Amino acid sequence: FEAFTVARPAEAVGWTNLGAARAAAGRFGEAVAALERATALDRDYAKAWQFLAQARERTGEGQAGIGRLWGKH
């Protein structure tokens, strides 16, 4: 997935897949970074938001992470 994001950096699906793969490998901080990129590229891509919420929860952000998803810092 990293090669895809290098070749097509403006495609949210690639960043979402990279984030999901990193989360599956237990690399939740790196997953959050990739998924934040995906949601910035496509604010309407629900799957990216779903994976981002899950990854943030796994990093221990809990409710603070959920609040940041909705712009409530």
Side-chain angles (χ1 to χ4, degrees):
F1 296 114
E2 289 182 36
F4 184 87
T5 61
V6 170
R8 300 171 91 171
E11 301 238 1
V13 69
W15 291 100
T16 301
N17 290 336
L18 178 61
R22 287 178 173 172
R27 297 164 47 191
F28 299 108
E30 294 174 36
V32 167
L35 293 160
E36 285 177 341
R37 178 77 181 262
T39 57
L41 290 168
D42 186 348
R43 305 292 294 172
D44 296 324
Y45 191 31
K47 186 58 78 174
W49 286 107
Q50 176 188 358
F51 285 139
L52 178 57
Q54 292 169 346
R56 281 185 170 166
E57 185 174 341
R58 295 299 300 266
T59 64
E61 290 187 49
Q63 289 299 315
I66 300 299
R68 286 209 328 239
L69 284 175
W70 302 111
K72 299 174 186 171
H73 306 288

